[in-house]
Amino acid sequence: MGAGILALLCLGGVGVFISFYDEATKIERSKPDVVVDQFLRAYLVNRDDKEAELYTCRKNLDLSQLNAYRTDIQSREQRFSIGIRVDWTSLIVSADGGKTTVSTDVRRAIADGSERTTDRWQFSMVDDDGWRVCGATQLP
């Protein structure tokens, strides 16, 4: 009887663990700004294309400018043997004429803090089973 109770407690514990794990690893696509934040973290900070794909459009995706930006960062890191950190400012959501965009300033800085640049970016969004990034444009 004690073994039975112990087995039930263990199974219940496993169920609770799985529930918490599911919630902690859930892909959040309910708000455009949250999606852009997660996408930028995956694409520019972690440089994980598979993870970034979780937050992008299935059709008509154009990340050519952002890809060139990331390639430039990687090239500078290799050429000068430095680390470059990337972060961004507040994410501003705009909806105009049925189009939703998210804008932010993307900042890159040499790891030792000696140099920092800021570039304004706009991300086009679509609500397709949750918000997704469909394009990234560097603004003048």
Side-chain angles (χ1 to χ4, degrees):
M1 182 147 159
I5 292 173
L6 183 61
L8 285 175
L9 287 174
C10 287
L11 288 175
V14 168
V16 169
F17 173 77
I18 289 171
S19 176
F20 282 129
Y21 179 80
D22 255 5
E23 192 60 34
T25 59
K26 180 180 175 186
I27 298 168
E28 180 61 46
R29 290 194 199 101
S30 63
K31 297 179 183 175
D33 54 339
V34 172
V35 170
V36 171
D37 183 67
Q38 293 174 339
F39 168 74
L40 288 173
R41 189 166 323 288
Y43 196 77
L44 292 178
V45 176
N46 300 337
R47 298 178 189 166
D48 183 343
D49 292 338
K50 290 289 185 194
E51 182 183 356
E53 282 179 12
L54 298 172
Y55 306 103
T56 59
C57 287
R58 296 178 183 124
K59 297 179 183 176
N60 303 321
L61 177 63
D62 181 10
L63 297 178
S64 56
Q65 288 185 28
L66 192 62
N67 187 48
Y69 186 80
R70 183 174 77 171
T71 300
D72 181 60
I73 291 170
Q74 292 170 319
S75 171
R76 290 171 190 263
E77 286 177 327
Q78 289 177 347
R79 191 170 0 140
F80 301 115
S81 298
I82 57 172
I84 297 177
R85 290 189 322 253
V86 179
D87 65 7
W88 44 95
T89 59
S90 298
L91 299 156
I92 301 165
V93 179
S94 302
D96 185 28
K99 294 184 179 181
T100 301
T101 60
V102 176
S103 302
T104 189
D105 291 330
V106 176
R107 303 179 295 199
R108 44 184 184 173
I110 296 176
D112 68 5
S114 63
E115 186 179 324
R116 172 178 233 117
T117 60
T118 302
D119 300 293
R120 188 86 178 138
W121 285 85
Q122 185 175 67
F123 299 87
S124 57
M125 307 296 293
V126 68
D127 190 356
D128 177 17
D129 190 28
W131 288 101
R132 297 173 186 273
V133 175
C134 289
T137 306
Q138 188 171 4
L139 302 175

